[in-house]
Amino acid sequence: MALEIRSIKGTQDILPSDSWKWQFVERQFLDMAALYGFSEIRVPTFEDRGLFIRSVGDTTDVVQKEMYTFTDQGGRELALRPEGTAGVNRAVIESGLITGALPLKLSYVLSCFRAEKPQAGRYREFHQLGMEVFGSQSAAADAELISFVHGFFDHLGLQQIRLEINSIGCPHCRPDYHRALKDYFSARKEGLCPTCQERLERNPLRILDCKCPSCQEIAKDAPSGLDYLCEDCAAHFESLKKRLNALQIDYTVNPRIVRGLDYYTRTVFEFISGDIGAQSTICGGGRYDGLLKSLGGPDQPGIGFAMGLERLLMVLEAQKIELPAPAPCDLYIASMGEEASVIAMSLTADLRSEGFAAECDIVGRSVKAQMKYADKIGARFSMVLGDSELESGRASVRNMADGSTVEVELDGESLSRFLYDVELSRITDSLDVSGIPGFDKL
Ligand code: HAM
């Protein structure tokens, strides 16, 4: 067997051995987001290319080097989304959501596409769990988002995730900082890569996050944006720090964090793990107070973050955090002969409608092969239906772990009751009620 067409470099299949972990983390994220008052939004995988040029910015690596663009049959210039913020901003304007109740709090789980050089933790198709808040200028919104991420990591059991924050100012103070950067880099122009030499004129801030080693070396000693913040931006940053201190969230101020996207203003932040190698940023975000307006929407501020699901799962694995595996098949109903197979199928349907994971043979195999399969899928109980079981209306249910059996009547209700009782005793056995007054007799 030789597979002729293979998956594209930088993409991954998420197989059943892993997909349950994805589902678990996604569900935890959306459920916790709901507790904070966030509702899920889903936006298209591809958008007008211009949307990303205007929001992410045409001097960023993402737009200049990494975007998957194509022209469709109608001659439209489109792009696969390299991130979620641009699409969500467009959607809230287009739908009118932004003119409803504010703050507007949205969460999302989506795939993104960037033509980066693949390596561990860096893919060409990857997934983000993200949140965006619209309509709050206050540093309280920044603190709430950061505290969500902090709480979410804590909830998953992650440890030693570093939080770094910075402020990159606003349109009032940014020009001064740009000037300082321009002066600094102009004096060292020869050492910059050709893209950064071009960026020098249009957007010197972008040189700070260029991935070229020579640019990174020069950028190390560049002026810090914190020294150029206007009074309002400085006060905003102080307010954020005060709130993080009150929430007892540890952070370091890192003036080198500028993020690789153009829409940011004021607060930017990253959560970093030391456990997964070079691609160590598992979450990045920040404020974008001018983005909605620049896309033709109202002058409302915004802030958000996105975390890379692949990287998050890598950290969970590196820290050996066990996620709750999905429940296996509760009961496998094996059958011998056509009549028994029909009954097995309807009993299976009855159990499923009661919420139990039940399975029966759909291949037409021997009982021996069916039982082998039940064992392979980790069924907790099994039973075999043959002529004598159909005649007596009873069958023995076998505990696959210890081989013990129990006689049960052959109808959906009796089987469900049996599985309920098993489930109940499993729960009560696992409960530790010793410290709860009045529960000592359970
Ligand atoms: P970003 O920093 O470009 O920000 O991406 C966010 C996260 O996505 C990164 O921290 C990383 O975990 C993950 N990520 C990025 N590129 C890759 C890749 N090639 N392979 C695997 N994971 C990757 C944004 O995308 C912003 N939209 C975040 C945001 C939302 N800011 C405000 N709101």
Side-chain angles (χ1 to χ4, degrees):
M1 204 167 63
L3 183 59
E4 287 177 10
I5 301 177
R6 299 194 157 264
S7 60
I8 305 298
K9 195 170 147 193
T11 67
Q12 302 191 90
D13 298 311
I14 310 306
L15 303 177
S17 52
D18 280 323
S19 60
W20 62 271
K21 297 177 197 163
W22 288 60
Q23 287 177 357
F24 175 78
V25 174
E26 287 170 13
R27 218 175 295 130
Q28 296 296 308
F29 175 77
L30 291 173
D31 286 353
M32 191 162 154
L35 294 180
Y36 278 67
F38 285 73
S39 315
E40 192 195 358
I41 185 166
R42 300 184 186 200
V43 291
T45 309
F46 56 89
E47 301 266 3
D48 190 313
R49 182 168 165 257
L51 174 68
F52 302 111
I53 294 176
R54 277 172 63 176
S55 53
V56 172
D58 62 351
T59 53
T60 58
D61 270 2
V62 170
V63 165
Q64 285 188 315
K65 303 180 185 169
E66 299 165 1
M67 208 151 67
Y68 282 100
T69 54
F70 61 101
T71 310
D72 79 354
Q73 288 83 341
R76 286 168 283 257
E77 293 284 323
L78 306 176
L80 295 183
R81 62 180 171 217
E83 54 104 60
T85 310
V88 172
N89 271 261
R90 177 204 48 71
V92 301
I93 302 169
E94 196 169 329
S95 64
L97 271 179
I98 193 64
T99 56
L102 295 178
L104 173 62
K105 306 205 249 181
L106 301 172
S107 55
Y108 54 84
V109 176
L110 43 77
S111 53
C112 302
F113 307 85
R114 294 184 194 175
E116 293 189 83
K117 199 161 180 247
Q119 65 179 79
R122 193 201 275 159
Y123 306 95
R124 291 185 167 172
E125 181 186 25
F126 60 98
H127 298 78
Q128 289 187 341
L129 308 176
M131 280 182 161
E132 312 291 344
V133 175
F134 299 95
S136 173
Q137 193 74 253
S138 164
D142 311 37
E144 177 164 85
L145 280 182
I146 290 174
S147 112
F148 174 92
V149 181
H150 183 264
F152 181 61
F153 290 161
D154 203 41
H155 173 71
L156 291 176
L158 291 174
Q159 286 174 347
Q160 291 176 323
I161 309 289
R162 224 169 54 239
L163 165 64
E164 298 190 350
I165 62 171
N166 188 24
S167 175
I168 56 169
C170 68
H172 295 299
C173 46
R174 187 86 56 82
D176 284 345
Y177 182 44
H178 271 198
R179 225 165 289 128
L181 284 176
K182 211 166 152 185
D183 290 347
Y184 174 82
F185 286 119
S186 296
R188 296 156 181 84
K189 192 171 173 182
E190 277 66 51
L192 298 174
C193 73
T195 315
C196 282
Q197 293 195 4
E198 215 179 278
R199 285 168 170 162
L200 190 53
E201 290 310 314
R202 297 181 51 208
N203 193 354
L205 195 68
R206 287 281 70 88
I207 303 174
L208 296 178
D209 52 55
C210 178
K211 291 176 189 117
C212 290
S214 57
C215 299
Q216 282 182 354
E217 186 56 36
I218 296 174
K220 270 206 311 231
D221 298 318
S224 158
L226 291 176
D227 296 332
Y228 294 83
L229 293 185
C230 62
E231 224 172 276
D232 285 352
C233 286
H236 193 271
F237 197 46
E238 281 312 307
S239 172
L240 171 63
K241 288 193 280 184
K242 193 165 137 196
R243 287 165 191 278
L244 293 180
N245 292 337
L247 291 165
Q248 297 187 320
I249 296 175
D250 288 338
Y251 61 86
T252 35
V253 174
N254 179 356
R256 288 280 153 255
I257 293 185
V258 290
R259 316 268 305 122
L261 312 159
D262 269 355
Y263 46 63
Y264 290 116
T265 52
R266 293 191 168 167
T267 309
V268 286
F269 60 89
E270 289 185 350
F271 285 85
I272 298 153
S273 164
D275 288 316
I276 53 169
Q279 300 308 311
S280 55
T281 307
I282 48 179
C283 175
R287 196 163 259 292
Y288 46 84
D289 290 346
L291 181 55
L292 277 170
K293 191 163 180 236
S294 76
L295 292 174
D299 190 6
Q300 285 290 353
I303 175 166
F305 69 79
M307 48 182 112
L309 189 43
E310 288 82 356
R311 292 186 193 175
L312 184 55
L313 287 161
M314 281 169 72
V315 184
L316 283 165
E317 193 168 325
Q319 298 194 1
K320 299 198 170 26
I321 292 169
E322 281 191 27
L323 304 180
C329 172
D330 290 307
L331 178 64
Y332 185 89
I333 309 180
S335 57
M336 240 182 312
E338 176 76 3
E339 205 185 328
S341 161
V342 171
I343 305 267
M345 198 162 229
S346 71
L347 287 173
T348 303
D350 288 347
L351 288 174
R352 288 171 177 164
S353 69
E354 287 299 315
F356 292 106
E359 287 196 56
C360 62
D361 177 51
I362 52 166
V363 184
R365 284 192 289 214
S366 69
V367 169
K368 193 172 163 208
Q370 291 180 51
M371 293 309 291
K372 219 168 153 182
Y373 180 73
D375 197 42
K376 268 193 194 158
I377 62 172
R380 283 155 64 187
F381 291 91
S382 68
M383 66 193 278
V384 180
L385 299 189
D387 290 344
S388 63
E389 283 79 12
L390 296 193
E391 228 164 79
S392 67
R394 299 175 70 78
S396 59
V397 176
R398 182 163 178 267
N399 183 328
M400 298 286 280
D402 62 15
S404 61
T405 56
V406 178
E407 277 261 310
V408 180
E409 276 182 54
L410 259 194
D411 59 75
E413 207 183 315
S414 306
L415 281 172
S416 296
R417 203 171 324 116
F418 167 77
L419 291 174
Y420 272 127
D421 288 347
V422 170
E423 189 58 25
L424 199 62
S425 66
R426 230 162 49 91
I427 294 171
T428 48
D429 284 354
S430 67
L431 282 180
D432 177 12
V433 292
S434 51
I436 307 175
F439 278 87
D440 48 333
K441 288 187 287 298
L442 197 79

